[in-house]
Amino acid sequence: MDEVLFQQIGSRCRMWIAPEDRQPVSIQQPGRKCVGYFGAVRVRDGKFIYSREDDKFNAETSWAFLKKVEEQSRSDGKTVVLIIDNARYHHAKMHKAWREEVSSGFRLEFLPPYSPELNPIERVWRLTRRRRLHNQYFPTLESLRSAAESLFETWATGSEDLRRLCRI
């Protein structure tokens, strides 16, 4: 599980341009508008669970997403292990009692500090940028949302690509 912010400005790319040609003009939307998502991948079938966060990431929004993941990941007697980073709001006292209550079937494994490369969901964010957001102009924040969420919806039923990508 992790969270991500996709900005409305395009990502940079390198390209070769013939010396006789003028430099291309890259259209950018001014400002720092962005949209945030929580996301998690169920490794057994590659199902992508996500939630858009319009306000900000905090203990309340994190807890709501943890409940959603726990509900959708319940399995017949199997323990679900969620790999999660060490953001402060993931350890919040607000949901400590709930974490202890569901700990028999739903366990959080916290990554060491400053190690995002160990979190498999980071690969999903990179793949999302490559497939839908890279080298594109989004005139509105809604167009960015729809581009990302259309890909997320295809993954929501399960994806062999995500299953292989997030396997440890």
Side-chain angles (χ1 to χ4, degrees):
M1 175 190 146
D2 197 21
E3 53 282 328
V4 67
L5 287 172
F6 295 126
Q7 289 190 339
Q8 192 173 349
I9 60 170
S11 57
R12 295 182 181 185
C13 68
R14 293 184 188 173
M15 62 174 46
W16 181 85
I17 300 163
E20 61 272 7
D21 293 339
R22 292 183 52 212
Q23 294 289 330
V25 176
S26 177
I27 302 171
Q28 299 286 327
Q29 184 69 25
R32 295 180 180 252
K33 294 181 182 177
C34 58
V35 60
Y37 292 95
F38 281 106
V41 175
R42 199 166 61 186
V43 179
R44 74 171 174 251
D45 59 3
K47 182 178 179 183
F48 185 65
I49 304 165
Y50 75 96
S51 176
R52 184 173 69 220
E53 185 49 53
D54 293 319
D55 191 20
K56 61 181 178 177
F57 301 116
N58 58 25
E60 289 178 30
T61 58
S62 176
W63 187 17
F65 186 69
L66 285 172
K67 287 179 184 178
K68 181 178 181 176
V69 171
E70 190 266 336
E71 180 182 296
Q72 292 187 18
S73 299
R74 271 192 221 135
S75 187
D76 43 318
K78 295 181 182 177
T79 301
V80 175
V81 178
L82 189 65
I83 298 172
I84 195 166
D85 63 12
N86 258 314
R88 255 189 112 122
Y89 47 82
H90 294 158
H91 296 276
K93 293 177 185 176
M94 174 189 295
H95 49 80
K96 184 177 182 181
W98 176 82
R99 288 192 322 261
E100 290 171 355
E101 178 185 317
V102 298
S103 65
S104 62
F106 186 76
R107 199 173 78 226
L108 300 180
E109 285 293 325
F110 293 99
L111 292 170
Y114 308 108
S115 58
E117 68 279 354
L118 297 177
N119 198 344
I121 195 74
E122 296 291 347
R123 299 175 197 149
V124 175
W125 302 139
R126 190 175 321 123
L127 185 63
T128 303
R129 284 186 178 97
R130 274 192 203 141
R131 287 195 177 171
R132 293 290 165 95
L133 309 177
H134 180 69
N135 212 13
Q136 300 239 357
Y137 171 65
F138 297 103
T140 63
L141 197 56
E142 187 55 41
S143 62
L144 173 69
R145 281 187 197 128
S146 65
E149 289 179 15
S150 67
L151 183 61
F152 294 165
E153 286 301 317
T154 62
W155 290 340
T157 57
S159 167
E160 183 61 26
D161 290 340
L162 289 187
R163 195 176 75 74
R164 274 187 274 122
L165 192 64
C166 293
R167 243 188 329 218
I168 298 175

